[in-house]
């Protein structure tokens, strides 16, 4: 009998991170919720689990800095990605009346993603920032005056009623999650590679990095900068591009990049997410 995959995710139960883990591995996996993103990286690195799932960027709120910082320091590899549509719901305790709602609880990002809807629908409501949407759901379950903004999975997990669905301001809002492991992946023929590139702190650094991509016609899908931890006012570039590290073109790309960068860290090559 095949052993179930052990998968760590940013908890608690009922979060979009859990939904991403289920989307990737199905319900027949051993799910383990972690308190922080750092904990997910640590438990994967220690090989207590087979995989980890962490958020890396939201289409409206941008990058998850904590995940990027962990990628800088960790040895784990990115072996997959999952993109989850973020469909926020307003949840309440079963039987609680709409007129009783005085407070709306959710994670800071979720409150920001529903800002206009909240202002139009509950302009007088007090907003409560929580560590997670799941924590907000727990608050709503214990207090008729509190409604929670969370996903439909949280309603199922915590036994809440859905008062209204699709309350996010941007209907195309989605979050990208990374799948982490201690091994690399073979080429699938439709792959993406993520790298960290450190440069010398001098003019023209970004231009020198981008030139090999242009010359070899390698398509960039994302480029971001983060402060380097080892030097003041120095930066590291997070770059995603199409291709696998074992492709001939990508091997040549790295050969050229070595000549114009201080250090390159390959975070992983993995199949590009294709919605089902």
């Amino acid at each position: 009998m095949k052993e179930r995959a052990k998968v760590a995710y940013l908890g608690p139960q009922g979060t979009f991170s859990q939904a991403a883990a289920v989307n990737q591995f199905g319900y027949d996996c051993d799910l383990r919720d972690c308190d922080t993103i750092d904990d997910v990286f640590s438990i994967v690195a220690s090989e207590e689990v087979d995989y980890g799932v962490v958020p890396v960027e939201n289409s409206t709120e941008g990058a998850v800095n904590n995940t990027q910082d962990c990628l800088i320091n960790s040895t784990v590899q990115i072996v997959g990605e999952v993109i989850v549509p973020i469909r926020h719901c307003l949840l309440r305790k079963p039987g609680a009346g709409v007129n009783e709602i005085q407070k709306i609880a959710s994670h800071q990002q979720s409150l920001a993603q529903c800002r206009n809807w909240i202002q139009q629908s509950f302009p007088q409501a007090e907003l409560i920032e929580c560590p997670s949407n799941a924590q907000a759901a727990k608050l709503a379950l214990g207090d008729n005056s509190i409604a929670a903004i969370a996903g439909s999975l949280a309603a199922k997990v915590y036994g809440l009623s859905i008062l209204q669905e699709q309350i996010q301001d941007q209907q195309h809002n989605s979050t990208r999650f990374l799948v982490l492991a201690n091994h690399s992946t073979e080429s699938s023929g439709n792959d993406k590679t993520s790298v960290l590139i450190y440069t010398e702190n001098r003019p023209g650094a970004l231009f020198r990095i981008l030139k090999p991509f242009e010359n070899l016609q390698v398509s960039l899908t994302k480029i971001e900068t983060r402060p380097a931890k080892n030097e003041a006012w120095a930066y590291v570039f997070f770059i995603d591009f199409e291709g696998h590290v074992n492709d001939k073109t990508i091997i040549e790309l790295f050969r050229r990049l070595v000549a114009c960068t201080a250090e390159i860290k390959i975070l992983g090559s993995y199949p590009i997410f294709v919605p089902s």
Side-chain angles (χ1 to χ4, degrees):
M1 184 176 178
K2 187 177 179 181
E3 188 175 346
R4 294 193 304 164
K6 300 182 182 70
V7 183
Y9 68 94
L10 176 62
Q13 293 185 52
T15 60
F16 287 107
S17 292
Q18 183 184 7
V22 169
N23 286 0
Q24 180 74 6
F25 297 100
Y27 283 98
D28 190 32
C29 63
D30 182 2
L31 288 173
R32 304 189 183 184
D33 61 302
C34 296
D35 292 334
T36 66
I37 288 173
D38 299 67
D39 290 342
V40 177
F41 275 85
S42 295
I43 196 173
V44 173
S46 68
E47 300 187 352
E48 291 181 51
V49 297
D50 303 305
Y51 299 98
V53 177
V54 293
V56 68
E57 61 180 326
N58 177 265
S59 60
T60 59
E61 297 299 313
V64 179
N65 293 337
N66 192 180
T67 296
Q68 290 187 336
D69 288 342
C70 287
L71 287 169
I72 292 174
N73 299 316
S74 179
T75 59
V76 302
Q77 291 277 297
I78 303 172
V79 297
E81 64 176 356
V82 187
I83 297 175
V84 177
I86 304 301
R87 299 188 175 103
H88 288 303
C89 304
L90 188 69
L91 311 180
R92 61 173 176 173
K93 183 179 179 180
V98 178
N99 294 335
E100 294 181 79
I101 296 174
Q102 300 174 13
K103 305 171 185 176
I104 295 178
S106 196
H107 186 273
Q108 179 183 8
Q109 277 205 342
S110 298
L111 291 172
Q113 291 164 14
C114 302
R115 185 183 299 111
N116 293 337
W117 183 89
I118 295 171
Q119 186 59 38
Q120 292 172 7
S121 303
F122 292 92
Q124 305 303 321
E126 177 187 344
L127 303 184
I128 303 174
E129 292 187 6
C130 298
S132 69
N133 291 350
Q135 182 62 40
K138 291 179 182 180
L139 289 178
L141 188 60
D143 191 331
N144 286 9
S145 70
I146 300 177
I149 293 176
S152 58
L153 179 60
K156 184 184 299 184
V157 169
Y158 296 103
L160 293 169
S161 298
I162 298 177
L163 182 60
Q164 189 164 336
E165 297 181 297
Q166 303 269 26
I167 65 171
Q168 66 277 1
D169 296 331
Q170 302 295 328
Q171 295 307 307
H172 299 292
N173 185 17
S174 62
T175 295
R176 178 177 172 236
F177 295 83
L178 299 179
V179 181
L180 310 172
N182 283 303
H183 58 78
S184 58
T185 60
E186 298 296 324
S187 174
S188 70
N190 184 33
D191 298 290
K192 179 187 292 185
T193 296
S194 296
V195 297
L196 286 175
I197 295 182
Y198 297 84
T199 65
E200 295 179 357
N201 190 10
R202 56 193 180 94
L206 180 57
F207 172 79
R208 286 188 292 276
I209 291 173
L210 296 181
K211 190 173 182 180
F213 287 94
E214 180 182 8
N215 291 343
L216 292 169
Q217 292 297 288
V218 174
S219 179
L220 293 172
T221 58
K222 187 184 78 168
I223 180 168
E224 290 188 3
T225 59
R226 286 283 291 154
K229 303 297 184 182
N230 56 356
E231 182 183 347
W233 304 110
Y235 293 87
V236 57
F237 294 92
F238 283 84
I239 298 179
D240 292 346
F241 56 88
E242 294 180 3
H244 191 279
V245 289
N246 293 330
D247 296 343
K248 288 183 179 179
T249 301
I250 304 307
I251 291 172
E252 174 60 19
L253 172 69
F254 282 122
R255 190 188 70 80
R256 299 187 187 188
L257 285 173
V258 166
C260 61
T261 61
E263 183 183 347
I264 300 174
K265 180 181 180 181
I266 299 173
L267 301 175
S269 290
Y270 47 93
I272 294 173
F273 176 78
V274 179
S276 57

